[in-house]
Amino acid sequence: MVSESWEFYTAALGAMSSLATTRINQKLQSIPHSLAYQATADAKNVVIIGGSYAGARLAQRLTETLPTGYRAVLIERNSHFNHFFVFPRFGVVKGKEEAAFIPYDNLTKGAPQGIFQHIRATATEITPKKVKLSNGDEIEYEYLTVATGSWQPAPSKFDVLEKRDGVKAFQATQKAVEVAKSITVVGGGPVGVQMASDIKSYYPTKDVTLVHSRENVMNAFGPRLQGVVADSLKSLGVSVLLGERPSVKADGSSAAEKGQNVGPGSLVFRNGSQKAYDLVLPCTGQRPNSSILSHLLPSAIDPKSGQILVRPTLQVNPGPASEKTADSNTAASNRIFSLGDVAQTGGPRFARAARAQAEVVTSNILSLIQGQKEKLVEYHPAMYEGAIKLTLGKEDYVFCGRTADGREIMKFGKENASNENFELASAWKELRARLDTPTPIRTGWEERVAAFDKHKQRFNATWGTAR
Ligand SMILES: Cc1cc2nc3c(=O)[nH]c(=O)nc-3n(C[C@H](O)[C@H](O)[C@H](O)COP(=O)(O)OP(=O)(O)OC[C@H]3O[C@@H](n4cnc5c(N)ncnc54)[C@H](O)[C@@H]3O)c2cc1C
């Protein structure tokens, strides 16, 4: 019988080698493209709003493929790329928070001159032909992509635009966690589970409670992963309260209403009982940043989820015809795409899915530029896009994916170097950023060497020093 680890490695290797081959081909094709592309003064704009996992990848792909006469314009309000994967841990562990913010300077390194412009601003409104910015400027577009993601309360995301304020917000959360004796994490999805597990494993004497509104933690995932997570929380000593949506009564603080970390105060449960706490960390309440489309295409925003409706081609779906929407606006929807967490794509709300969607959008914009509507491709989520790597405290992690027939397959890991370092180097590499942050980040090779050293130490501790 094939072992689960073997099955997992085979599936992961298949997905990774196919992605790597595609990337190598793209890189090779970008060489003749960069030689052929010529900057022109009247180039038409392909505008991207939002430069995170979806928008940053899209900017890179467009600058590798757009023909002469077009250029990519990225509008992003943040000073740095926020690498959210590390936010739960860096809200607990001190010292590496600088590295969660990756500079945009080299995002499109190697792209031909004149093909890319990065504008640091907030987009405030979209008209059929222009994007209006917070600084009063208006940017014309031929094609537009909305990759504005979602809002979440701190410490999942911080409501700040500058790296220095993000670093301060991390340090404030770390301090609040350090001094609190009793901490309640609200929300039993991946972020809440990681946060509660990290707090309890870095500070074993603290009283840590995880409150979740559903009957199982990780309810959006399969039953096996739910069981693994429940067992892990129990063995770490995290108290879990299910089926509860407590209201937060903070002592003299308005932070609760703003969805920020609060404390001290109490949680009020369904039956009226109360639990005192020193700190509450909200890990719920994701809200899509879709209001930017509310003037142009109000019916394109799903009233239930708040996400932007898209067609399988990821062009915006203008929604049911309404008197509020002018015909010219509906026509504009053919030139407007949406992807990532803000869009109702049918794919998982993960970075891998956002990147896969960037490929579909790139291909479809090129087809429209070439006047080949019949070549538009559709987005269908691949299995690997929904795979999750979940840390379960400082030493353990589980990687969970699904097979083609929907079975959950897992790989458990313990104390490997990448778990400590969160593969930060690969995130920096994706943005083509130089590893010159004040926080030391190990490269992939250094991580492997560190992992080997750790195994060697364990071997020596068990069997004596090798001679
Ligand atoms: C704490 C945490 C941990 C996570 N861990 C993982 C993980 O381990 N693996 C994984 O695959 N996924 C993980 N995710 C999910 C993943 O981060 C999201 O799927 C991903 O961020 C979606 O990317 P996006 O580009 O669609 O949107 P977002 O990342 O939300 O980014 C949207 C961008 O648009 C910008 N923006 C918004 N509005 C405007 C405007 N009007 N003008 C200009 N700019 C604007 C924002 O500043 C932001 O940069 C995690 C998420 C969180 C919060």
Side-chain angles (χ1 to χ4, degrees), residues 321-333:
S322 94
E323 286 164 14
K324 281 192 276 176
T325 313
D327 288 348
S328 57
N329 296 10
T330 306
S333 71

PDB file of all heavy atoms in Angstrom, residues 321-333:
ATOM      1  N   ALA A 321     -29.252  43.382 -15.119  1.00  0.00           N
ATOM      2  CA  ALA A 321     -29.410  44.736 -15.679  1.00  0.00           C
ATOM      3  C   ALA A 321     -30.243  45.568 -14.713  1.00  0.00           C
ATOM      4  O   ALA A 321     -31.217  45.087 -14.149  1.00  0.00           O
ATOM      5  CB  ALA A 321     -30.111  44.649 -17.028  1.00  0.00           C
ATOM      6  N   SER A 322     -29.802  46.789 -14.471  1.00  0.00           N
ATOM      7  CA  SER A 322     -30.574  47.619 -13.550  1.00  0.00           C
ATOM      8  C   SER A 322     -30.593  49.054 -14.055  1.00  0.00           C
ATOM      9  O   SER A 322     -29.721  49.466 -14.827  1.00  0.00           O
ATOM     10  CB  SER A 322     -29.967  47.555 -12.147  1.00  0.00           C
ATOM     11  OG  SER A 322     -29.073  48.605 -11.953  1.00  0.00           O
ATOM     12  N   GLU A 323     -31.604  49.797 -13.608  1.00  0.00           N
ATOM     13  CA  GLU A 323     -31.711  51.189 -14.063  1.00  0.00           C
ATOM     14  C   GLU A 323     -30.522  52.007 -13.593  1.00  0.00           C
ATOM     15  O   GLU A 323     -30.148  52.998 -14.184  1.00  0.00           O
ATOM     16  CB  GLU A 323     -32.992  51.812 -13.501  1.00  0.00           C
ATOM     17  CG  GLU A 323     -34.228  51.307 -14.206  1.00  0.00           C
ATOM     18  CD  GLU A 323     -35.488  51.601 -13.411  1.00  0.00           C
ATOM     19  OE1 GLU A 323     -35.421  52.413 -12.476  1.00  0.00           O
ATOM     20  OE2 GLU A 323     -36.517  50.987 -13.725  1.00  0.00           O
ATOM     21  N   LYS A 324     -29.929  51.534 -12.458  1.00  0.00           N
ATOM     22  CA  LYS A 324     -28.815  52.297 -11.876  1.00  0.00           C
ATOM     23  C   LYS A 324     -27.565  52.234 -12.753  1.00  0.00           C
ATOM     24  O   LYS A 324     -26.673  53.048 -12.648  1.00  0.00           O
ATOM     25  CB  LYS A 324     -28.475  51.722 -10.489  1.00  0.00           C
ATOM     26  CG  LYS A 324     -29.420  52.173  -9.394  1.00  0.00           C
ATOM     27  CD  LYS A 324     -28.875  51.815  -8.033  1.00  0.00           C
ATOM     28  CE  LYS A 324     -29.225  50.391  -7.664  1.00  0.00           C
ATOM     29  NZ  LYS A 324     -28.658  49.940  -6.411  1.00  0.00           N
ATOM     30  N   THR A 325     -27.490  51.193 -13.623  1.00  0.00           N
ATOM     31  CA  THR A 325     -26.267  50.991 -14.387  1.00  0.00           C
ATOM     32  C   THR A 325     -26.449  51.434 -15.830  1.00  0.00           C
ATOM     33  O   THR A 325     -27.260  50.862 -16.561  1.00  0.00           O
ATOM     34  CB  THR A 325     -25.868  49.499 -14.353  1.00  0.00           C
ATOM     35  OG1 THR A 325     -25.962  49.052 -13.009  1.00  0.00           O
ATOM     36  CG2 THR A 325     -24.474  49.283 -14.866  1.00  0.00           C
ATOM     37  N   ALA A 326     -25.684  52.442 -16.251  1.00  0.00           N
ATOM     38  CA  ALA A 326     -25.779  52.917 -17.635  1.00  0.00           C
ATOM     39  C   ALA A 326     -25.207  51.864 -18.578  1.00  0.00           C
ATOM     40  O   ALA A 326     -24.352  51.070 -18.182  1.00  0.00           O
ATOM     41  CB  ALA A 326     -24.993  54.216 -17.759  1.00  0.00           C
ATOM     42  N   ASP A 327     -25.663  51.864 -19.849  1.00  0.00           N
ATOM     43  CA  ASP A 327     -25.174  50.879 -20.820  1.00  0.00           C
ATOM     44  C   ASP A 327     -23.662  50.965 -20.992  1.00  0.00           C
ATOM     45  O   ASP A 327     -22.984  49.957 -21.148  1.00  0.00           O
ATOM     46  CB  ASP A 327     -25.844  51.109 -22.182  1.00  0.00           C
ATOM     47  CG  ASP A 327     -27.303  50.685 -22.136  1.00  0.00           C
ATOM     48  OD1 ASP A 327     -27.680  50.024 -21.141  1.00  0.00           O
ATOM     49  OD2 ASP A 327     -28.045  51.032 -23.070  1.00  0.00           O
ATOM     50  N   SER A 328     -23.136  52.216 -20.961  1.00  0.00           N
ATOM     51  CA  SER A 328     -21.690  52.375 -21.163  1.00  0.00           C
ATOM     52  C   SER A 328     -20.913  51.703 -20.026  1.00  0.00           C
ATOM     53  O   SER A 328     -19.824  51.170 -20.223  1.00  0.00           O
ATOM     54  CB  SER A 328     -21.324  53.853 -21.240  1.00  0.00           C
ATOM     55  OG  SER A 328     -21.748  54.495 -20.061  1.00  0.00           O
ATOM     56  N   ASN A 329     -21.510  51.704 -18.832  1.00  0.00           N
ATOM     57  CA  ASN A 329     -20.833  51.055 -17.706  1.00  0.00           C
ATOM     58  C   ASN A 329     -20.826  49.544 -17.900  1.00  0.00           C
ATOM     59  O   ASN A 329     -19.829  48.872 -17.644  1.00  0.00           O
ATOM     60  CB  ASN A 329     -21.539  51.383 -16.388  1.00  0.00           C
ATOM     61  CG  ASN A 329     -21.483  52.859 -16.062  1.00  0.00           C
ATOM     62  OD1 ASN A 329     -21.082  53.653 -16.906  1.00  0.00           O
ATOM     63  ND2 ASN A 329     -21.872  53.224 -14.870  1.00  0.00           N
ATOM     64  N   THR A 330     -21.977  49.014 -18.352  1.00  0.00           N
ATOM     65  CA  THR A 330     -22.063  47.574 -18.580  1.00  0.00           C
ATOM     66  C   THR A 330     -21.054  47.172 -19.654  1.00  0.00           C
ATOM     67  O   THR A 330     -20.364  46.159 -19.520  1.00  0.00           O
ATOM     68  CB  THR A 330     -23.498  47.186 -19.006  1.00  0.00           C
ATOM     69  OG1 THR A 330     -24.375  47.698 -18.024  1.00  0.00           O
ATOM     70  CG2 THR A 330     -23.664  45.691 -19.110  1.00  0.00           C
ATOM     71  N   ALA A 331     -20.944  47.991 -20.702  1.00  0.00           N
ATOM     72  CA  ALA A 331     -19.985  47.682 -21.773  1.00  0.00           C
ATOM     73  C   ALA A 331     -18.560  47.695 -21.223  1.00  0.00           C
ATOM     74  O   ALA A 331     -17.724  46.866 -21.592  1.00  0.00           O
ATOM     75  CB  ALA A 331     -20.120  48.696 -22.900  1.00  0.00           C
ATOM     76  N   ALA A 332     -18.283  48.625 -20.278  1.00  0.00           N
ATOM     77  CA  ALA A 332     -16.926  48.721 -19.713  1.00  0.00           C
ATOM     78  C   ALA A 332     -16.551  47.438 -18.986  1.00  0.00           C
ATOM     79  O   ALA A 332     -15.367  47.091 -18.890  1.00  0.00           O
ATOM     80  CB  ALA A 332     -16.844  49.909 -18.759  1.00  0.00           C
ATOM     81  N   SER A 333     -17.552  46.704 -18.479  1.00  0.00           N
ATOM     82  CA  SER A 333     -17.236  45.498 -17.699  1.00  0.00           C
ATOM     83  C   SER A 333     -16.481  44.464 -18.534  1.00  0.00           C
ATOM     84  O   SER A 333     -15.804  43.604 -17.989  1.00  0.00           O
ATOM     85  CB  SER A 333     -18.507  44.882 -17.109  1.00  0.00           C
ATOM     86  OG  SER A 333     -19.272  44.295 -18.136  1.00  0.00           O
TER      87      SER A 333
END
